[in-house]
C-alpha cells in the first residue's frame, strides 16, 4: 500500500477515500452505532472529527458500501441482512451553514423545531 497524505482539514469521507489519504479504520465502531435503534446527538469539541464521522455515516446510508472497500464495515454490513433497509433515516444538520452567528437560544429553538419535525415524519412512526 502506498503511503498517503494526512487528511488535514478533510471532512468528506468519499473525497478522503478517493484521494487515498490516510484513514484509521474505525468502521467497526460505526457499525455498532448504526446497528442500534436509538437516536444520537453527537457533540464534540472543535477539530475533533465530527464532520468526518458524520460524512462517513452519511455515505454508508446514502451509498451503501461504495466508499468502504477494504474496511471492516464492508464484511460486517454484508452479514447483517437488510440493516440499511430497516434504518429509520439519517438527519445531518450542519450548524456551519448558519455562519456561526447563531446564539444559544436560536440554536435551541432550531434544534427543537428539527426534532419535532423529524419525529412527525411517517418513516419515524
Amino acid at each position: 500500500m502506498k503511503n498517503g497524505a494526512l487528511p488535514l482539514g478533510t471532512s468528506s469521507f468519499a473525497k478522503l477515500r478517493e484521494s487515498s489519504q490516510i484513514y484509521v479504520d474505525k468502521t467497526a465502531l460505526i457499525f455498532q452505532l448504526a446497528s442500534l435503534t436509538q437516536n444520537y446527538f453527537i457533540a464534540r469539541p472543535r477539530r475533533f472529527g465530527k464532520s468526518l464521522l458524520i460524512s462517513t455515516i452519511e455515505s454508508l446510508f446514502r451509498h451503501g458500501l461504495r466508499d468502504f472497500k477494504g474496511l471492516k464495515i464492508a464484511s460486517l454490513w454484508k452479514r447483517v441482512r437488510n440493516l440499511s433497509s430497516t434504518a429509520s433515516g439519517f438527519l445531518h444538520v450542519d450548524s456551519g451553514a448558519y455562519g456561526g452567528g447563531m446564539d444559544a437560544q436560536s440554536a435551541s429553538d432550531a434544534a427543537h423545531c428539527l426534532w419535532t419535525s423529524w419525529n412527525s415524519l411517517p418513516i419515524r412512526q
Side-chain angles (χ1 to χ4, degrees):
M1 179 176 168
K2 277 173 42 177
N3 289 336
L6 290 174
L8 300 175
T10 302
S11 60
S12 168
F13 181 72
K15 288 180 183 176
L16 183 144
R17 297 289 288 164
E18 287 170 7
S19 64
S20 300
Q21 292 179 329
I22 294 172
Y23 177 73
V24 176
D25 187 4
K26 295 183 181 177
T27 58
L29 298 171
I30 292 171
F31 174 78
Q32 289 177 355
L33 184 66
S35 300
L36 300 174
T37 58
Q38 300 163 312
N39 296 319
Y40 289 93
F41 176 76
I42 299 173
R44 301 296 299 164
R46 285 178 40 108
R47 313 295 308 156
F48 209 80
K50 293 180 300 293
S51 296
L52 181 57
L53 172 63
I54 296 303
S55 176
T56 304
I57 295 169
E58 186 172 16
S59 178
L60 181 63
F61 280 96
R62 285 188 187 224
H63 308 294
L65 297 175
R66 179 191 77 183
D67 300 323
F68 294 88
K69 290 179 181 76
L71 299 178
K72 183 66 177 171
I73 200 166
S75 62
L76 294 170
W77 200 257
K78 288 177 185 175
R79 273 193 250 155
V80 180
R81 187 179 163 151
N82 293 326
L83 178 61
S84 60
S85 66
T86 61
S88 59
F90 182 82
L91 175 65
H92 178 183
V93 179
D94 183 1
S95 62
Y98 299 105
M102 187 178 281
D103 61 44
Q105 185 59 50
S106 297
S108 177
D109 293 345
H112 178 72
C113 181
L114 282 169
W115 188 252
T116 302
S117 298
W118 173 256
N119 282 320
S120 67
L121 292 173
I123 62 167
R124 302 288 300 153
Q125 298 175 5

